């Protein structure tokens, strides 16, 4: 095939389409962020005057603070638990017998495909029976069902390229299986762990539908945003949203950078 | 003293027998090679000694201790893997010190001994590099240092030179042998390369289909193969069916095609046997009316240092003949030639 460069009509059309699609995704977020800096008491675009008024309001508001705190607490419990369970599951799938592997894998990641509304309903039923609804005892496990698949996939992908011979080498040098895992395998698959962990954190922090079923008194950030939208549309929501977007963006950047940081001179092979 | 002893070791995978009853003793300071084609069970045997594969039957003793069921980390065995298996996230010093760290050696002592081990393999100065930053030959040396630093009862090497180019492989052969002698290490080397086995080993065990076909010194195995498999596996050979014409004591006269040859061995007249003659033991010269064996060159392969002729002798038998390249006076296909098979060159491998 002849070399044709990038200036072909087809390529330009594709580039235009791509740009439009990206704009469609990003513009609402951008508009929201701009609106959040309004100095007025209503939402408008473009805002007639700018200021940090609503950020001050939000950060000082005990309800928002409480909601942010419980979301962070839940995510902080869910993330390490997802990592432990998800990594062990990925290791089991990678090292265990071939038979039934695909079935178990399918079951493990099924919460990703299952509509969250169905999942939420099911978990709600169980939580009611066990009388653990509206507490961390139900919300954390509920979040785990949707965060663990991300860790299984992310760590599983890292294990695919991991040379099991390295563990054998460690064992021949006197490491038992756990120490071989700890000193050799985990450090080497760290990109997968970090990626899975960030995904798990974001998924838990953002989770709305399932939490909505389980929470009554407990207020997480997504629930608080939803509720405040129902009763009032104040610029404080824009400020909260902008803060959430900034946090997610920071984590995403970390996710992209981690590959490069790891590749920096060390894991080259 | 024996470093490693295998006693009737068997490994079955389902219905397949990978290792079929191996008895073997490796002496302290001995360089023993397990040689055989792929699938002969040599690697499985090594994996059983290392503890990664449990034998289905039999016993393994390492350093005087029954280790048949010990997990790998509790055997004092050093292993060099085919792809070196260096830890990519650790410096060379940390790679080498890993075994000491697992043994609870203090940090300063670890650092010192790792430095010494790197010096032994001539890698001083590279201690703070990472495996991804050094060449294949250097990685090979690090793997060796890492296995040596724990002072293992036996060092196991699984086709360690497979990934190196020919020149480096030849050099590593010499280095490994020198190092092994110098440090007095007991060593088991697995390879499918007969030249590697012949050039380094004290003894070679030739394996096929999970069994030892012959165990002996390189010279003994090359010159006096116990059977046709070993004869064919160890370099080029002419294998000729022959019939005993005349026998007295441990000498006999045999006929192989058009050739009449004297051999040693207690044979009975009229019996059918197989003879092996190494191509380099046969002399080749200009056709001479008085020569005992006359033939015609059917083909010639130029191998640089040597020439590899195929010669069809009277009676139709084809013989391989290898001679150093004389530079001038090479025979070409069609040339009439005379062959000389000296006394002792034909060896009886089966009767």
């Amino acid at each position: 095939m002849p070399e044709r460069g990038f200036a072909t009509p087809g390529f330009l059309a594709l580039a235009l389409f791509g740009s439009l699609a990206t704009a469609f995704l990003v513009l609402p977020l951008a508009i929201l962020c701009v609106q959040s800096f309004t100095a007025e008491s209503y939402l408008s675009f473009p805002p007639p005057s700018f200021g940090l008024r609503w950020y001050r309001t939000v950060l000082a508001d005990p309800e928002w603070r409480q909601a942010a705190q419980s979301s962070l607490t839940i995510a902080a419990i869910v993330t390490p638990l997802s990592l432990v369970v998800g990594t062990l599951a990925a290791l089991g799938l990678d090292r265990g017998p071939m038979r039934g592997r695909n079935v178990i894998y399918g079951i493990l990641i099924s919460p990703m495909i299952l509509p969250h509304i169905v999942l939420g309903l099911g978990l709600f039923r169980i939580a009611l029976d066990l009388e653990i609804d509206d507490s961390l005892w139900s919300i954390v496990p509920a979040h785990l069902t949707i965060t663990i698949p991300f860790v299984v996939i992310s760590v599983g992908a890292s294990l695919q390229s991991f040379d099991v011979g390295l563990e054998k080498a460690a064992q021949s040098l006197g490491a038992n299986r756990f120490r071989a895992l700890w000193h050799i395998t985990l450090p080497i698959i760290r990109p997968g762990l970090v990626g899975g962990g960030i995904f798990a954190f974001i998924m838990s922090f953002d989770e709305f539908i399932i939490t909505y079923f389980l929470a009554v008194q407990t207020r997480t950030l997504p629930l608080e945003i939803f509720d405040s939208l129902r009763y009032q549309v104040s610029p404080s929501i824009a400020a909260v949203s902008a803060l959430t977007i900034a946090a997610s963006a920071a984590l995403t950047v970390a996710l992209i950078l981690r590959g490069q940081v790891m590749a920096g001179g060390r894991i080259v092979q | 003293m024996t470093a490693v002893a295998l006693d009737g070791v068997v490994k079955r995978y389902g219905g397949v027998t990978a290792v079929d009853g191996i008895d073997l003793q490796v002496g302290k300071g001995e360089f023993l090679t397990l040689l055989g084609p792929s699938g002969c069970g040599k690697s499985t045997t090594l994996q059983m000694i290392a503890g990664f594969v449990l034998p289905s039957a039999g016993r393994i003793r390492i350093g005087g201790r029954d280790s048949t069921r010990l997990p790998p980390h509790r055997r004092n065995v050093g292993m060099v893997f085919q792809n070196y298996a260096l830890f990519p996230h650790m410096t060379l010093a940390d790679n080498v010190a890993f075994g000491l760290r697992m043994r609870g050696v203090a940090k300063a002592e670890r650092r010192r001994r790792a430095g010494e081990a790197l010096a032994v393999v001539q890698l001083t100065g590279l201690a703070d590099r990472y495996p991804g930053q050094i060449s294949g030959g250097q990685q090979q040396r690090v793997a060796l240092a890492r296995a040596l630093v724990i002072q293992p009862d036996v060092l196991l090497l699984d086709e360690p030179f497979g990934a190196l180019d020919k020149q480096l492989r030849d050099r590593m052969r010499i280095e490994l042998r020198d190092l092994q002698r110098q440090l007095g290490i007991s060593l088991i080397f697995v390879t499918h390369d007969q030249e590697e086995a012949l050039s380094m080993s004290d003894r070679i065990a030739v394996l096929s289909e999970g069994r030892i076909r012959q165990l002996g010194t390189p010279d003994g195995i090359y010159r006096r193969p116990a059977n046709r498999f070993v004869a064919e596996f160890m370099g080029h050979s002419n294998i000729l069916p022959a019939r005993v014409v005349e026998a007295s004591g441990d000498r006999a006269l045999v006929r192989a095609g058009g050739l009449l040859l004297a051999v040693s061995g207690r044979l009975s007249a009229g019996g059918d046997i197989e003879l092996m003659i190494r191509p380099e033991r046969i002399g080749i010269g200009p056709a001479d009316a008085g020569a005992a064996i006359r033939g015609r060159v059917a083909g010639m392969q130029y191998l640089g240092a040597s020439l590899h002729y195929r010669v069809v002798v009277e009676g139709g038998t084809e013989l391989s003949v290898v001679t150093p390249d004389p530079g001038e006076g090479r025979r070409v296909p069609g040339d009439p030639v005379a062959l000389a098979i000296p006394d002792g060159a034909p060896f009886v491998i089966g009767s």
Side-chain angles (χ1 to χ4, degrees):
Chain A
M1 211 163 62
E3 199 77 35
R4 295 184 65 193
F6 290 123
T8 64
F11 181 81
L12 290 176
L14 190 66
L16 185 68
F17 178 74
S19 307
L20 283 175
T22 310
F24 183 74
L25 288 172
V26 172
L27 268 182
L29 298 181
I31 289 172
L32 197 69
C33 288
V34 173
Q35 282 180 324
S36 72
F37 288 103
T38 184
E40 310 298 323
S41 55
Y42 53 89
L43 278 175
S44 63
F45 188 83
S49 56
F50 291 93
L52 291 175
R53 172 180 168 189
W54 292 103
Y55 284 91
R56 258 182 247 117
T57 312
V58 163
L59 292 175
D61 184 339
E63 271 185 38
W64 283 117
R65 291 174 70 120
Q66 181 60 46
Q69 203 194 337
S70 40
S71 273
L72 285 173
T73 307
I74 292 167
I77 300 171
V78 166
T79 304
L81 283 177
S82 316
L83 277 174
V84 172
V85 178
T87 302
L88 289 176
L91 277 168
L93 285 169
D94 190 62
R95 308 289 164 77
M98 283 300 287
R99 247 182 76 180
R101 183 178 292 188
N102 289 335
V103 176
I104 296 172
Y105 186 74
I107 292 171
L108 269 172
I109 66 162
S110 63
M112 286 180 82
I113 324 156
L114 226 57
H116 283 190
I117 194 109
V118 175
L119 207 59
L121 193 62
L123 288 163
F124 179 53
R125 276 284 332 176
I126 298 170
L128 275 186
D129 287 349
L130 297 174
E131 294 177 23
I132 52 168
D133 60 306
D134 196 30
S135 83
L136 289 184
W137 294 107
S138 61
I139 296 174
V140 166
H143 281 199
L144 283 174
T145 57
I146 53 165
T147 55
I148 286 172
F150 286 93
V151 178
V152 172
I153 288 173
S154 172
V155 172
S158 289
L159 284 173
Q160 295 252 302
S161 57
F162 176 78
D163 173 13
V164 185
L166 295 180
E167 261 180 37
K168 281 188 166 187
Q171 287 177 41
S172 79
L173 292 166
N176 60 30
R177 294 188 74 169
F178 176 76
R179 293 178 90 186
L181 189 71
W182 186 257
H183 290 292
I184 306 301
T185 314
L186 293 184
I188 292 174
I189 62 166
R190 203 171 69 185
L193 292 169
V194 172
I198 290 177
F199 266 123
F201 189 91
I202 292 177
M203 287 327 257
S204 166
F205 193 76
D206 268 358
E207 163 50 36
F208 173 70
I209 300 174
I210 294 174
T211 321
Y212 188 73
F213 273 100
L214 296 168
V216 183
Q217 303 287 315
T218 316
R219 305 315 296 160
T220 66
L221 209 51
L223 292 184
E224 196 67 32
I225 293 174
F226 182 72
D227 276 357
S228 62
L229 265 177
R230 279 205 299 189
Y231 304 121
Q232 44 149 351
V233 182
S234 96
S236 60
I237 292 171
V240 171
S241 306
L243 285 171
T244 317
I245 292 166
S248 298
L251 281 174
T252 312
V253 169
L255 197 66
I256 296 166
L257 284 181
R258 105 213 119 106
Q260 289 158 14
V261 172
M262 293 306 287
R266 298 177 71 214
I267 299 175
V268 183
Q269 286 206 318
Chain B
M1 264 308 269
T2 44
V4 176
L6 305 189
D7 183 11
V9 170
V10 173
K11 181 63 196 179
R12 280 182 289 265
Y13 291 103
V16 183
T17 305
V19 173
D20 191 7
I22 286 197
D23 298 301
L24 186 64
Q25 263 140 41
V26 185
K28 273 235 164 74
E30 185 181 22
F31 192 128
L32 183 125
T33 298
L34 300 178
L35 173 69
S38 60
C40 71
K42 58 190 191 297
S43 282
T44 309
T45 305
L46 203 72
Q47 298 276 324
M48 286 193 282
I49 299 169
F52 295 119
V53 171
L54 278 184
S56 312
R59 286 154 60 85
I60 298 172
R61 294 178 70 78
I62 301 169
R65 201 157 55 123
D66 186 347
S67 306
T68 315
R69 312 228 136 236
L70 276 187
H73 69 275
R74 296 191 42 213
R75 306 179 181 207
N76 196 28
V77 159
M79 184 144 181
V80 175
F81 294 79
Q82 189 168 13
N83 66 353
Y84 320 133
L86 296 180
F87 308 134
H89 60 304
M90 293 184 187
T91 62
L92 303 191
D94 288 342
N95 261 280
V96 175
F98 187 80
L100 300 173
R101 189 169 158 207
M102 292 302 111
R103 283 165 172 73
V105 176
K107 195 167 183 181
E109 170 79 358
R110 261 176 7 220
R111 183 87 200 167
R112 187 182 65 73
R113 282 171 64 183
E116 282 175 10
L118 283 170
V120 167
V121 295
Q122 296 153 41
L123 286 178
T124 313
L126 297 185
D128 295 322
R129 299 274 188 94
Y130 286 90
Q133 301 170 321
I134 59 173
S135 72
Q138 289 171 328
Q139 291 185 19
Q140 168 74 71
R141 293 207 182 104
V142 176
L144 203 55
R146 185 177 68 176
L148 284 173
V149 77
I150 59 171
Q151 298 177 319
D153 291 323
V154 62
L155 186 61
L156 310 176
L157 296 98
D158 190 3
E159 308 246 7
F161 304 152
L164 304 176
D165 60 50
K166 171 123 177 65
Q167 270 187 327
L168 198 51
R169 206 155 56 209
D170 291 349
R171 208 171 74 215
M172 286 307 297
R173 251 188 229 173
I174 298 168
E175 278 185 26
L176 177 64
R177 182 53 160 155
D178 286 352
L179 198 63
Q180 182 267 338
R181 282 223 178 94
Q182 182 193 324
L183 302 178
I185 315 155
S186 317
L187 191 152
I188 303 178
F189 189 94
V190 160
T191 184
H192 64 271
D193 181 336
Q194 43 98 10
E195 223 178 83
E196 229 165 63
L198 290 171
S199 63
M200 291 191 293
S201 320
D202 290 315
R203 283 192 305 158
I204 299 172
V206 184
L207 273 72
S208 84
E209 292 166 352
R211 289 186 190 184
I212 296 181
R213 298 292 156 177
Q214 189 172 5
L215 178 64
T217 61
D219 182 62
I221 285 195
Y222 186 75
R223 297 211 314 191
R224 294 181 296 280
N227 49 57
R228 185 175 182 145
F229 173 80
V230 175
E232 285 182 326
F233 194 72
M234 304 300 296
H236 298 289
S237 56
N238 294 295
I239 293 183
L240 309 171
R243 172 158 289 176
V244 182
V245 178
E246 212 181 291
S248 66
D250 59 356
R251 300 286 297 166
L253 202 59
V254 304
R255 178 172 295 282
L259 304 171
L260 203 59
L261 300 163
V263 299
S264 52
R266 294 197 166 275
L267 302 166
S268 47
D272 287 322
I273 60 162
E274 266 185 335
L275 280 184
M276 179 204 73
I277 310 171
R278 293 287 182 199
E280 70 277 10
R281 302 285 308 270
I282 304 176
I284 186 167
D288 174 353
I293 308 168
R294 283 189 301 261
R296 200 167 282 280
V297 175
M300 193 271 277
Q301 208 185 350
Y302 177 64
L303 296 173
S306 60
L307 302 176
H308 192 155
Y309 291 106
R310 283 180 296 122
V311 177
V312 178
V313 297
E314 286 162 0
T317 309
E318 187 179 292
L319 290 175
S320 288
V321 180
V322 173
T323 70
D325 180 15
E328 283 160 34
R330 290 176 192 154
R331 319 282 153 202
V332 293
D335 279 4
V337 288
L339 297 183
I341 301 178
D343 211 22
F347 181 76
V348 180
I349 52 170
S351 43

